[in-house]
PDB file of all heavy atoms in Angstrom:
ATOM      1  N   LEU L 676     105.118  33.193  31.345  1.00 98.00           N
ATOM      2  CA  LEU L 676     104.588  34.437  30.775  1.00 98.00           C
ATOM      3  C   LEU L 676     105.657  35.087  29.908  1.00 98.00           C
ATOM      4  O   LEU L 676     106.744  35.412  30.397  1.00 98.00           O
ATOM      5  CB  LEU L 676     104.158  35.391  31.896  1.00 98.00           C
ATOM      6  CG  LEU L 676     103.448  36.676  31.455  1.00 98.00           C
ATOM      7  CD1 LEU L 676     102.111  36.356  30.783  1.00 98.00           C
ATOM      8  CD2 LEU L 676     103.222  37.602  32.647  1.00 98.00           C
ATOM      9  N   ASP L 677     105.338  35.270  28.617  1.00 98.00           N
ATOM     10  CA  ASP L 677     106.303  35.823  27.654  1.00 98.00           C
ATOM     11  C   ASP L 677     105.589  36.805  26.727  1.00 98.00           C
ATOM     12  O   ASP L 677     105.338  36.509  25.560  1.00 98.00           O
ATOM     13  CB  ASP L 677     106.932  34.674  26.860  1.00 98.00           C
ATOM     14  CG  ASP L 677     108.002  35.158  25.892  1.00 98.00           C
ATOM     15  OD1 ASP L 677     108.598  36.218  26.137  1.00 98.00           O
ATOM     16  OD2 ASP L 677     108.240  34.449  24.882  1.00 98.00           O
ATOM     17  N   PRO L 678     105.243  37.993  27.228  1.00 98.00           N
ATOM     18  CA  PRO L 678     104.409  38.915  26.444  1.00 98.00           C
ATOM     19  C   PRO L 678     105.166  39.612  25.310  1.00 98.00           C
ATOM     20  O   PRO L 678     106.375  39.861  25.389  1.00 98.00           O
ATOM     21  CB  PRO L 678     103.955  39.948  27.481  1.00 98.00           C
ATOM     22  CG  PRO L 678     104.347  39.392  28.809  1.00 98.00           C
ATOM     23  CD  PRO L 678     105.530  38.515  28.554  1.00 98.00           C
ATOM     24  N   HIS L 679     104.406  39.947  24.269  1.00 98.00           N
ATOM     25  CA  HIS L 679     104.879  40.805  23.177  1.00 98.00           C
ATOM     26  C   HIS L 679     103.746  41.786  22.881  1.00 98.00           C
ATOM     27  O   HIS L 679     103.133  41.752  21.813  1.00 98.00           O
ATOM     28  CB  HIS L 679     105.229  39.981  21.945  1.00 98.00           C
ATOM     29  CG  HIS L 679     106.357  39.018  22.165  1.00 98.00           C
ATOM     30  ND1 HIS L 679     106.163  37.744  22.659  1.00 98.00           N
ATOM     31  CD2 HIS L 679     107.697  39.161  21.984  1.00 98.00           C
ATOM     32  CE1 HIS L 679     107.333  37.137  22.752  1.00 98.00           C
ATOM     33  NE2 HIS L 679     108.278  37.964  22.359  1.00 98.00           N
ATOM     34  N   ILE L 680     103.471  42.646  23.855  1.00 98.00           N
ATOM     35  CA  ILE L 680     102.320  43.536  23.723  1.00 98.00           C
ATOM     36  C   ILE L 680     102.719  44.847  23.064  1.00 98.00           C
ATOM     37  O   ILE L 680     103.876  45.252  23.079  1.00 98.00           O
ATOM     38  CB  ILE L 680     101.642  43.802  25.083  1.00 98.00           C
ATOM     39  CG1 ILE L 680     102.573  44.577  26.023  1.00 98.00           C
ATOM     40  CG2 ILE L 680     101.166  42.512  25.717  1.00 98.00           C
ATOM     41  CD1 ILE L 680     101.877  45.071  27.279  1.00 98.00           C
ATOM     42  N   THR L 681     101.737  45.502  22.497  1.00 98.00           N
ATOM     43  CA  THR L 681     101.904  46.844  21.954  1.00 98.00           C
ATOM     44  C   THR L 681     101.436  47.843  23.015  1.00 98.00           C
ATOM     45  O   THR L 681     100.714  47.472  23.959  1.00 98.00           O
ATOM     46  CB  THR L 681     101.074  47.010  20.675  1.00 98.00           C
ATOM     47  OG1 THR L 681      99.701  46.743  20.988  1.00 98.00           O
ATOM     48  CG2 THR L 681     101.539  46.043  19.593  1.00 98.00           C
ATOM     49  N   PRO L 682     101.813  49.123  22.891  1.00 97.00           N
ATOM     50  CA  PRO L 682     101.451  50.103  23.927  1.00 97.00           C
ATOM     51  C   PRO L 682      99.960  50.185  24.225  1.00 97.00           C
ATOM     52  O   PRO L 682      99.558  50.367  25.379  1.00 97.00           O
ATOM     53  CB  PRO L 682     101.976  51.422  23.350  1.00 97.00           C
ATOM     54  CG  PRO L 682     103.139  51.016  22.500  1.00 97.00           C
ATOM     55  CD  PRO L 682     102.731  49.706  21.887  1.00 97.00           C
ATOM     56  N   GLU L 683      99.105  50.010  23.188  1.00 97.00           N
ATOM     57  CA  GLU L 683      97.668  50.156  23.446  1.00 97.00           C
ATOM     58  C   GLU L 683      97.088  48.996  24.242  1.00 97.00           C
ATOM     59  O   GLU L 683      95.970  49.086  24.755  1.00 97.00           O
ATOM     60  CB  GLU L 683      96.881  50.336  22.132  1.00 97.00           C
ATOM     61  CG  GLU L 683      96.916  49.154  21.185  1.00 97.00           C
ATOM     62  CD  GLU L 683      98.001  49.268  20.126  1.00 97.00           C
ATOM     63  OE1 GLU L 683      99.123  49.676  20.485  1.00 97.00           O
ATOM     64  OE2 GLU L 683      97.725  48.942  18.962  1.00 97.00           O
ATOM     65  N   LEU L 684      97.839  47.903  24.373  1.00 98.00           N
ATOM     66  CA  LEU L 684      97.369  46.776  25.183  1.00 98.00           C
ATOM     67  C   LEU L 684      97.731  46.914  26.653  1.00 98.00           C
ATOM     68  O   LEU L 684      97.277  46.124  27.493  1.00 98.00           O
ATOM     69  CB  LEU L 684      97.936  45.458  24.650  1.00 98.00           C
ATOM     70  CG  LEU L 684      97.566  45.070  23.203  1.00 98.00           C
ATOM     71  CD1 LEU L 684      98.179  43.729  22.850  1.00 98.00           C
ATOM     72  CD2 LEU L 684      96.058  45.040  23.009  1.00 98.00           C
ATOM     73  N   ALA L 685      98.573  47.898  26.973  1.00 98.00           N
ATOM     74  CA  ALA L 685      98.991  48.100  28.367  1.00 98.00           C
ATOM     75  C   ALA L 685      97.775  48.359  29.253  1.00 98.00           C
ATOM     76  O   ALA L 685      96.851  49.090  28.879  1.00 98.00           O
ATOM     77  CB  ALA L 685      99.968  49.263  28.454  1.00 98.00           C
ATOM     78  N   GLY L 686      97.787  47.749  30.420  1.00 98.00           N
ATOM     79  CA  GLY L 686      96.665  47.855  31.340  1.00 98.00           C
ATOM     80  C   GLY L 686      95.730  46.662  31.271  1.00 98.00           C
ATOM     81  O   GLY L 686      94.764  46.572  32.041  1.00 98.00           O
ATOM     82  N   THR L 687      96.016  45.725  30.376  1.00 98.00           N
ATOM     83  CA  THR L 687      95.222  44.503  30.285  1.00 98.00           C
ATOM     84  C   THR L 687      95.406  43.672  31.556  1.00 98.00           C
ATOM     85  O   THR L 687      96.528  43.488  32.030  1.00 98.00           O
ATOM     86  CB  THR L 687      95.657  43.675  29.058  1.00 98.00           C
ATOM     87  OG1 THR L 687      95.344  44.412  27.862  1.00 98.00           O
ATOM     88  CG2 THR L 687      94.967  42.326  29.029  1.00 98.00           C
TER      89      THR L 687
END
Side-chain angles (χ1 to χ4, degrees):
L676 186 64
D677 183 26
H679 297 87
I680 65 170
T681 58
E683 64 265 43
L684 299 181
T687 295

